[in-house]
Amino acid sequence: MVEIEGCNRHLVVDIIEQSEEKESDSLVLLPDEYQKPQGAYTIGKVKKGASWDGREWKEGSVIAFPRSVVREVTFNEETIYLVQDNYVICIIGDN
């Protein structure tokens, strides 16, 4: 596993996949390749704590942010996700 630390106010996050709804008997047939449209926002967990400008980001904090701002970096066949801290719209749970 590669040790990574975000720079320039980027947080290293793990994307939390939303649980998929059970397939139900539907009257509409969809192609096998069909994927349900994804929402504009996604949920992630801060993988490594960080602090900038007096703001402390705790490891394990669950946060919401726009799906479109996730930066994906692949190194040694490992995918790393980064989000700039100003795109975080909320912290979920007790932090």
Side-chain angles (χ1 to χ4, degrees), residues 11-50:
L11 300 169
V12 180
V13 298
D14 283 328
I15 304 296
I16 299 173
E17 299 297 330
Q18 302 293 329
S19 60
E20 301 214 4
E21 295 176 11
K22 276 197 307 189
E23 290 184 30
S24 61
D25 294 332
S26 175
L27 298 176
V28 179
L29 293 176
L30 298 171
D32 291 336
E33 308 84 38
Y34 176 80
Q35 292 183 358
K36 184 177 178 182
Q38 295 180 334
Y41 295 90
T42 192
I43 306 297
K45 186 181 282 191
V46 177
K47 195 169 181 178
K48 183 170 183 167

Side-chain angles (χ1 to χ4, degrees), residues 80-95:
I80 300 148
Y81 300 100
L82 300 147
V83 175
Q84 196 168 13
D85 71 344
N86 62 307
Y87 287 109
V88 175
I89 61 168
C90 66
I91 300 171
I92 301 168
D94 300 325
N95 291 305

Side-chain angles (χ1 to χ4, degrees), residues 44-81:
K45 186 181 282 191
V46 177
K47 195 169 181 178
K48 183 170 183 167
S51 63
W52 295 283
D53 301 327
R55 172 66 173 117
E56 184 76 25
W57 294 96
K58 296 179 191 172
E59 183 174 334
S61 294
V62 178
I63 56 177
F65 45 87
R67 189 177 302 278
S68 62
V69 300
V70 177
R71 303 291 179 238
E72 188 176 301
V73 177
T74 303
F75 180 74
N76 284 346
E77 299 181 16
E78 182 178 350
T79 303
I80 300 148
Y81 300 100

